[in-house]
Amino acid sequence: MSDQLKFIVEKLNKEPFKKNFNLITFDSLESMQLLQLLNDVLGEIDPKQVVDIREELPEQTAKRMLSLLGILKYKPPGGTSDLSTFRQGLVIGSKPVIHPVLHWLLQRTNELKKRAYLARFLIKVDVPAEFLQDDAVSDTNRQYEELMEAFKNLHKECEQLKTSGFSTAEIRRDITAMEEEKDQLMKRVERLKKRVETVQNHQRMLEMARQLRVEKEREESLSQQKQEQKNQLFHAEQRLQRVQLQLKDMRHAAVDSKPESLMKRLEEETKFNTYLVSEKFPRELEVKKQSLYFLQKVVAEPAMGQSDLSELETKINEVNIQINQLIEKRMMKYEPIDSKFSMYRQQASIISRKKAAKAEELQAAKEELSNLEKQMLQKSSQARELNGAEVLKGDEFKRYVNKLRSKNTLYKKKRLDIAEITAEYGILQRTEELLKQRHEDIQQQLQAIEDKKGISGYSYTQEELERVSAVKSEMDEMKGRTLDNMSEMVKKLNAMVADKKSSLAPIIKDLRQLRQKCQELTQECGEKKTQYDSCAAGLESNRSALEQEVKALHEECIQEESRYHHINCMKKILEVSLQRAKDEMKLYVSSDMQERRKAIREQYTRMITEQENLGKKLREKQKSVRESHGPNLKQVKMWRDFQLLMECKKECFLKQQNQASIGQVIQEGGEDRLVL
């Protein structure tokens, strides 16, 4: 259950939820908050579910969630027998029901998103049989099913294209480029056909050219085989060198390995393993059990607020104070008999701490060594997959670097040669163009002479036959040379291997003597180191004892100083408060009324009476306002009605005046007409 909650909290704290929960806050969520959280997760899967559950009824929420869970094919843990309890728990927001649902949804979010998307288009609408008897309805239903099948096929093709790794834009670019190349090649082929058709015996020449192309391809395949054999030979040499080095190391190990050294090594490993099994691992297991017990206790307790945390902090501070007091009492009552053994105890504790630290360092070094070996194996396997060769080590790598340096110098020389050759190539190309022009002129003259004599094309066919025969003879010679070169190279390599073996023999003898000296020096170094460690342990124990004593005295001095300052401050505060009390008594007891008025008691009594009088006045004013509120409202209403009435009269008066002025103007206009 705890693993399930951890997984839920971890997923909710990531994108796209970002809830910032921990186990305690998540476990303390109420039913409505849990339902809203479940609704948010469902909304991430299906955007139609993004709803605030406070704005809809609980039955509607449960029905909507159950329908979506049915589409997503969620099965409750209890099976079909507990469906009613599952529905009821979903309505009320029960934790045993919602936690498994959240765990199941967050485990397969991407898969469920895809399923919810497909459900929008692939869930069939149930049409009753009596409606399907109508032709229009049956045709529509048939079209609906055909579109559904088409959607299925298109979705499958889309998924296949997504998984295939091809990009449509790249494919289009490749197709257009290939079409352009095809057009260019077709044009070139047409031009070449037109040029060849004019030449006599062109079929025979085409056959010769085809044979030449086949021989060139064969030459390329032979050169590739030669290169592959060179690579295989190089890899075989490398493997031979590695095997020789391994054999050398094994022989040295066999020479140096004596029964006493092997037994000593086995005893050290046995001691280390017994220490791990008997002391280190049980101690760590006990610590882990205690931490697990405390964590289970914390989880079992209800959620704590800020007040509970403050109470726990105060209790912890009190317990720490009591512990410090007990330590001080123990330091004060330190017996002289125990002081004799304190140095030995401190030395034993220091040695045990050092032992534990060294054991941890050794274990960490072993783990790091195993991890590095695993990484080395992975890297070597990757290198073999990429290159087909193993990774070089030590002296082999140095030799390989030296080879690369020599090849780099050779590459620079060849580069200069290539630059010179390119310059010469430009000159030769120009001369070739001039010679070609002259050759074309001579060929035209020769063709004209052949046409006159009636033997056109004779010289061209004779030249082609001579050229093909020369190329064939060159190819045969080249094949013979390549085979001879390969046999000579194998002989040279065998001779080089024998020379290397003979030259390395005296070096191996010197190396054995040096290894023996190295072992003697390492033994002497180990003895010196043990002496140094024992001396350092004694000095460190004395230093730690003195440091503890100085620390205890320093803490005692600090406590006494703080106590002194605290008492001094309390004394000053009490003196000030006592002086204020005396002054207040003097003012209160004095017979002078002016001085008595300065007393704090008199001031507060005067302020209280003023506030009481003010309260009485406000209550009387409130009472009068309440009594006159009704009549005043009636009067305000009457005045408003009177105002409306006067405005209405004003408007009527203005209208009457306007009408009278218009009638007067009309009357004056009639009189003027009569006069005219």
Side-chain angles (χ1 to χ4, degrees):
M1 194 67 183
S2 60
D3 295 335
Q4 190 183 66
L5 291 177
K6 284 179 184 176
F7 178 77
I8 293 168
V9 170
E10 184 180 355
K11 287 290 184 182
L12 290 174
N13 289 336
K14 292 180 180 178
E15 290 283 348
F17 302 105
K18 290 185 178 180
K19 295 294 183 181
N20 293 326
F21 284 142
N22 54 28
L23 289 173
I24 296 171
T25 54
F26 179 72
D27 192 52
S28 62
L29 291 176
E30 296 179 356
S31 59
M32 286 294 291
Q33 293 174 341
L34 270 177
L35 282 172
Q36 185 62 51
L37 187 61
L38 177 60
N39 191 74
D40 293 340
V41 176
L42 291 173
E44 181 63 26
I45 293 168
D46 187 5
K48 290 183 180 179
Q49 304 294 323
V50 179
V51 181
D52 191 354
I53 61 171
R54 294 174 294 181
E55 296 177 358
E56 62 179 358
L57 295 173
E59 291 81 7
Q60 293 177 354
T61 304
K63 187 177 179 182
R64 179 170 52 80
M65 289 182 180
L66 284 169
S67 64
L68 183 58
L69 290 173
I71 291 168
L72 300 176
K73 296 181 182 179
Y74 173 72
K75 294 179 181 179
T80 56
S81 58
D82 295 337
L83 280 175
S84 60
T85 56
F86 176 74
R87 291 194 189 95
Q88 189 177 0
L90 193 63
V91 171
I92 63 174
S94 176
K95 290 181 182 178
V97 173
I98 291 176
H99 286 176
V101 178
L102 283 172
H103 185 259
W104 185 80
L105 291 172
L106 293 170
Q107 267 185 334
R108 45 183 70 82
T109 307
N110 295 325
E111 180 186 349
L112 295 175
K113 280 182 181 178
K114 184 177 176 182
R115 192 176 292 174
Y117 168 73
L118 293 174
R120 291 164 53 191
F121 305 103
L122 297 180
I123 293 176
K124 289 186 178 181
V125 179
D126 293 330
V127 182
E130 56 269 18
F131 292 121
L132 288 173
Q133 293 176 1
D134 190 0
D135 295 335
V137 176
S138 63
D139 292 338
T140 306
N141 190 25
R142 183 170 50 76
Q143 291 176 4
Y144 168 67
E145 291 177 353
E146 289 175 356
L147 288 171
M148 191 178 289
E149 292 296 327
F151 174 76
K152 286 181 184 178
N153 297 325
L154 288 172
H155 182 71
K156 287 179 183 177
E157 291 177 3
C158 180
E159 290 296 324
Q160 289 175 0
L161 288 172
K162 282 181 181 177
T163 54
S164 63
F166 291 112
S167 175
T168 55
E170 291 179 359
I171 292 167
R172 285 173 183 169
R173 285 197 295 270
D174 293 338
I175 289 167
T176 53
M178 289 168 72
E179 286 178 352
E180 290 176 358
E181 289 178 1
K182 182 182 175 183
D183 295 336
Q184 291 175 3
L185 290 171
M186 292 294 288
K187 290 176 182 177
R188 288 180 67 185
V189 169
E190 291 293 331
R191 285 199 300 269
L192 290 171
K193 279 183 180 180
K194 289 177 181 178
R195 288 177 63 185
V196 170
E197 284 175 356
T198 58
V199 180
Q200 292 181 355
N201 299 324
H202 65 277
Q203 293 294 334
R204 187 180 176 186
M205 292 178 183
L206 288 173
E207 186 65 30
M208 292 292 180
R210 192 177 297 111
Q211 290 178 2
L212 179 62
R213 188 179 68 251
V214 170
E215 292 296 329
K216 283 184 177 179
E217 290 176 355
R218 189 177 173 189
E219 182 186 2
E220 288 178 358
S221 65
L222 288 171
S223 62
Q224 287 178 0
Q225 289 177 5
K226 181 181 176 182
Q227 188 65 34
E228 287 175 359
Q229 288 177 359
K230 282 183 179 179
N231 292 329
Q232 289 175 3
L233 183 62
F234 178 70
H235 295 322
E237 286 179 356
Q238 287 184 346
R239 281 198 294 273
L240 179 63
Q241 290 175 1
R242 282 193 293 273
V243 171
Q244 286 177 352
L245 288 172
Q246 289 176 3
L247 180 63
K248 197 187 297 180
D249 294 335
M250 294 294 289
R251 284 176 179 171
H252 285 305
V255 169
D256 296 334
S257 61
K258 297 178 182 178
E260 292 83 4
S261 61
L262 290 172
M263 288 297 294
K264 189 176 180 182
R265 197 180 305 158
L266 289 171
E267 285 176 359
E268 288 177 356
E269 290 181 357
T270 308
K271 286 179 182 179
F272 177 69
N273 291 326
T274 51
Y275 167 72
L276 290 176
V277 173
S278 60
E279 296 182 12
K280 190 171 184 295
F281 288 159
R283 198 183 308 125
E284 290 180 355
L285 184 63
E286 191 64 29
V287 171
K288 296 289 183 184
K289 283 182 179 178
Q290 287 181 359
S291 62
L292 179 63
Y293 170 72
F294 288 131
L295 289 171
Q296 287 177 351
K297 196 172 179 182
V298 169
V299 170
E301 290 180 356
M304 291 189 293
Q306 191 64 33
S307 60
D308 298 329
L309 290 172
S310 61
E311 289 178 3
L312 285 173
E313 286 179 355
T314 53
K315 286 181 182 178
I316 290 165
N317 292 327
E318 290 174 359
V319 171
N320 287 329
I321 291 166
Q322 290 176 4
I323 290 166
N324 291 327
Q325 289 176 358
L326 290 171
I327 290 168
E328 289 175 1
K329 287 180 182 178
R330 185 172 175 276
M331 293 285 288
M332 295 294 290
K333 295 179 181 179
Y334 207 81
E335 294 182 2
I337 297 167
D338 294 336
S339 63
K340 294 178 182 179
F341 300 103
S342 62
M343 186 172 70
Y344 299 108
R345 287 175 184 167
Q346 288 169 1
Q347 288 181 358
S349 64
I350 290 164
I351 291 166
S352 64
R353 284 198 298 271
K354 278 190 174 182
K355 187 178 178 182
K358 293 295 179 185
E360 289 178 356
E361 288 178 3
L362 181 59
Q363 193 172 2
K366 284 185 176 180
E367 291 176 357
E368 188 177 358
L369 180 62
S370 64
N371 292 326
L372 290 172
E373 286 177 352
K374 288 179 183 177
Q375 290 179 5
M376 187 182 70
L377 290 172
Q378 289 177 359
K379 297 292 183 184
S380 62
S381 63
Q382 289 177 4
R384 286 195 207 98
E385 290 175 359
L386 293 172
N387 271 336
E390 295 182 359
V391 181
L392 301 176
K393 298 178 184 176
D395 297 332
E396 294 178 3
F397 184 72
K398 289 179 181 177
R399 286 195 290 273
Y400 181 67
V401 170
N402 292 326
K403 283 183 182 179
L404 285 178
R405 286 174 182 168
S406 62
K407 286 182 180 180
N408 191 13
T409 55
L410 184 63
Y411 165 72
K412 289 178 180 177
K413 290 179 182 178
K414 296 293 183 185
R415 195 173 177 183
L416 292 171
D417 295 338
I418 289 166
E420 293 175 357
I421 290 165
T422 50
E424 190 175 354
Y425 172 72
I427 297 165
L428 292 172
Q429 194 173 10
R430 179 60 182 162
T431 55
E432 184 185 4
E433 289 177 358
L434 296 171
L435 291 171
K436 278 183 181 180
Q437 288 178 1
R438 289 181 64 187
H439 179 68
E440 287 176 358
D441 296 336
I442 292 166
Q443 284 291 112
Q444 287 176 2
Q445 292 174 5
L446 182 62
Q447 193 173 2
I449 293 165
E450 286 176 355
D451 290 336
K452 286 180 182 180
K453 301 292 182 179
I455 50 172
S456 62
Y458 173 75
S459 61
Y460 183 74
T461 53
Q462 190 176 2
E463 287 175 0
E464 287 293 324
L465 288 171
E466 289 175 357
R467 188 171 60 81
V468 169
S469 61
V471 168
K472 188 177 180 183
S473 62
E474 287 177 1
M475 290 294 293
D476 294 333
E477 289 176 1
M478 193 180 291
K479 289 176 187 176
R481 284 199 301 272
T482 51
L483 292 171
D484 294 334
N485 290 330
M486 288 174 70
S487 60
E488 289 176 1
M489 191 180 291
V490 170
K491 289 178 182 178
K492 286 180 182 178
L493 289 170
N494 290 324
M496 286 172 67
V497 169
D499 293 335
K500 292 290 183 183
K501 284 182 180 178
S502 61
S503 62
L504 287 171
I507 296 169
I508 291 166
K509 291 180 181 178
D510 296 336
L511 185 63
R512 288 176 184 172
Q513 294 176 1
L514 291 172
R515 282 193 176 177
Q516 289 178 358
K517 287 182 182 179
C518 180
Q519 284 183 354
E520 292 174 359
L521 291 172
T522 50
Q523 288 178 359
E524 187 178 356
C525 179
E527 292 174 359
K528 297 291 184 182
K529 192 175 182 181
T530 52
Q531 292 176 5
Y532 170 76
D533 289 335
S534 61
C535 182
L539 293 172
E540 191 174 355
S541 63
N542 293 329
R543 184 178 63 80
S544 61
L546 292 171
E547 281 181 355
Q548 287 181 358
E549 188 176 358
V550 170
K551 189 177 180 181
L553 292 171
H554 186 64
E555 288 178 354
E556 186 178 358
C557 179
I558 290 168
Q559 288 178 359
E560 294 296 331
E561 283 182 359
S562 63
R563 189 177 174 190
Y564 166 73
H565 290 304
H566 179 69
I567 291 168
N568 197 5
C569 292
M570 293 296 293
K571 180 183 175 185
K572 288 181 181 178
I573 290 165
L574 290 171
E575 286 177 356
V576 171
S577 59
L578 183 63
Q579 186 64 36
R580 286 181 66 188
K582 286 180 181 178
D583 294 338
E584 184 69 22
M585 286 297 294
K586 284 180 183 179
L587 293 172
Y588 184 70
V589 174
S590 66
S591 58
D592 191 1
M593 294 300 292
Q594 295 293 331
E595 290 183 356
R596 284 185 71 181
R597 286 178 183 174
K598 292 179 182 178
I600 296 170
R601 183 175 178 180
E602 292 294 330
Q603 292 177 5
Y604 278 113
T605 52
R606 194 162 56 248
M607 288 170 68
I608 288 165
T609 53
E610 288 177 358
Q611 293 295 323
E612 286 178 353
N613 293 327
L614 182 62
K616 286 179 182 179
K617 289 179 182 178
L618 290 171
R619 282 194 293 274
E620 290 174 357
K621 190 174 181 181
Q622 184 182 9
K623 187 177 179 183
S624 63
V625 167
R626 283 179 180 174
E627 289 174 353
S628 61
H629 181 64
N632 288 336
L633 282 174
K634 288 181 182 179
Q635 192 172 3
V636 168
K637 189 177 179 182
M638 289 170 68
W639 276 108
R640 284 178 181 168
D641 294 339
F642 178 72
Q643 186 178 2
L644 289 171
L645 182 63
M646 294 304 292
E647 286 178 355
C648 185
K649 284 185 176 182
K650 181 181 177 183
E651 288 177 358
C652 292
F653 178 72
L654 290 171
K655 285 180 181 179
Q656 190 175 3
Q657 270 190 349
N658 288 330
Q659 287 176 0
S661 60
I662 290 164
Q664 189 176 0
V665 169
I666 292 166
Q667 189 175 2
E668 288 177 356
E671 288 176 356
D672 293 335
R673 285 195 196 97
L674 290 171
V675 170
L676 290 170

